[in-house]
Amino acid sequence: MVLRYMIYDVFTDTRLAGNPLAVVFGADALSDELMQALAGEMNLSETVFVQTAQNPAHAARLRIFTPARELPFAGHPTVGAAIAISEVNHAEKHPDFDIVCVLEENVGPVRCAVKLSDTGASFAEFDLPRNPTRTDLNLDRQGLADALGVKLSDLGFENHVPAIWSAGVPFLMLPLHNLAAVEGVEFDVTLWEKAAPLVEGRLASAYVYCRGGVHHAAKFHARMFSPDMGIAEDPATGGAAAALAGAIHQFDALPDGLHPILIEQGVEMGRPSFIHLHIDVKDGAISRARIGGQAIRIASGEFHL
């Protein structure tokens, strides 16, 4: 069996930046075990497998794997796969083209809009399949601070406090006082495993963030660590940015209207990523939220199985 794959750098318009993603085509016949093994072979934050959609009106079905396990939903595979599928299907005939498609993920159907570019990176944006929700658990704040290598007084800023949020995949959101505190995080896996709670039966992933950023347009600066997913640190985490929408809405008391928010991540890794989050608030609640970003192809090849 020969399978074609492509690698995209996602949430960037620059090669060798952003979050790399492997997109594997023609994956209908692959078992779960083989997909997990191939994701381990690629050893990227995520590998996405493109299968035939169950609904013929949809573009594809996606299976998303980290090196350690399958995810029901993730942001950078959704953006990257939407662009990869659109480029494969349309770029030669329509190099500068707008497309709306639906991708089937384990979380449910995800509506995407893609703007192809014949000069570099294409752009994709998707509607959150679920609005973010909060799970209240008792948190060992001192233990969490120790696991991050920060002072307890660094945890939290303004109205933002540590909390668990999910828009399909749960994350323990850890607001830190300022950019210096986030940049200085030294994540200790052993201490994290002792202090972090189990959420939906799995060890919580750490999403550390503060207001502002290195880039002048960034409203938030973030880092993500997930031993449970087999990810030491992630250059960009769209699923966490989707969950962050809930924290921003609650803690910042967003008024009704459209709120565009740029989140930077991966700076400390030398892979700066820029995630576009749009939150629509109506009657005091999130009526719609979207995640978007650019992606650019950097490699292609074949698996021989």
Side-chain angles (χ1 to χ4, degrees):
M1 180 190 302
V2 177
L3 294 175
R4 180 175 52 151
Y5 71 86
M6 297 175 180
I7 296 177
Y8 280 75
D9 286 333
V10 184
F11 291 125
T12 181
D13 61 358
T14 305
R15 291 182 175 89
L16 303 179
N19 198 354
L21 170 76
V23 184
V24 182
F25 292 89
D28 286 354
L30 300 186
S31 67
D32 293 0
E33 292 77 15
L34 185 51
M35 286 187 282
Q36 185 64 75
L38 289 172
E41 181 77 12
M42 298 305 291
N43 199 32
L44 301 175
S45 295
E46 279 123 351
T47 297
V48 60
F49 296 88
V50 180
Q51 301 178 337
T52 302
Q54 296 174 345
N55 184 332
H58 296 167
R61 170 162 164 72
L62 303 184
R63 300 285 299 277
I64 301 168
F65 288 79
T66 75
R69 65 181 176 95
E70 185 174 10
L71 297 178
F73 159 73
H76 108 278
T78 301
V79 167
I83 288 172
I85 293 167
S86 299
E87 288 186 348
V88 166
N89 292 338
H90 302 285
E92 289 188 6
K93 295 182 180 179
H94 307 284
D96 194 357
F97 192 58
D98 293 351
I99 301 162
V100 175
C101 64
V102 176
L103 300 176
E104 298 173 357
E105 302 186 17
N106 286 353
V107 74
V110 181
R111 181 181 178 276
C112 306
V114 182
K115 184 174 183 59
L116 295 179
S117 171
D118 59 352
T119 59
S122 297
F123 180 90
E125 183 179 63
F126 64 88
D127 294 331
L128 298 196
R130 297 178 185 173
N131 276 345
T133 56
R134 180 174 175 176
T135 299
D136 289 318
L137 294 175
N138 291 327
L139 299 175
D140 177 3
R141 291 171 61 96
Q142 183 63 64
L144 296 173
D146 291 344
L148 299 179
V150 302
K151 297 181 293 185
L152 180 60
S153 59
D154 284 331
L155 271 183
F157 63 83
E158 301 164 15
N159 292 328
H160 288 248
V161 296
I164 298 162
W165 290 89
S166 174
V169 176
F171 292 89
L172 175 49
M173 301 289 172
L174 295 162
L176 293 189
H177 182 65
N178 55 27
L179 181 61
V182 176
E183 290 176 331
V185 166
E186 295 183 4
F187 188 77
D188 188 309
V189 173
T190 301
L191 293 179
W192 182 257
E193 290 175 343
K194 292 179 180 178
L198 294 178
V199 184
E200 298 178 1
R202 292 187 175 275
L203 184 69
S205 300
Y207 188 75
V208 183
Y209 70 96
C210 67
R211 203 180 294 283
V214 175
H215 191 282
H216 67 90
K219 293 189 176 180
F220 290 91
H221 179 94
R223 301 177 71 180
M224 200 286 282
F225 309 88
S226 183
D228 180 71
M229 295 182 189
I231 300 171
E233 182 170 358
D234 199 22
T237 318
L244 181 64
I248 295 171
H249 171 253
Q250 178 174 340
F251 298 140
D252 287 349
L254 294 182
D256 284 7
L258 172 62
H259 303 273
I261 296 166
L262 183 67
I263 302 166
E264 67 177 20
Q265 190 178 334
V267 175
E268 291 81 2
M269 303 175 69
R271 299 195 65 99
S273 306
F274 298 97
I275 301 171
H276 296 264
L277 169 64
H278 289 82
I279 305 173
D280 293 345
V281 179
K282 183 178 180 180
D283 298 329
I286 295 178
S287 61
R288 183 186 179 200
R290 303 180 301 282
I291 293 286
Q294 293 175 285
I296 188 166
R297 189 189 307 180
I298 189 170
S300 60
E302 295 177 339
F303 286 115
H304 294 260
L305 304 173

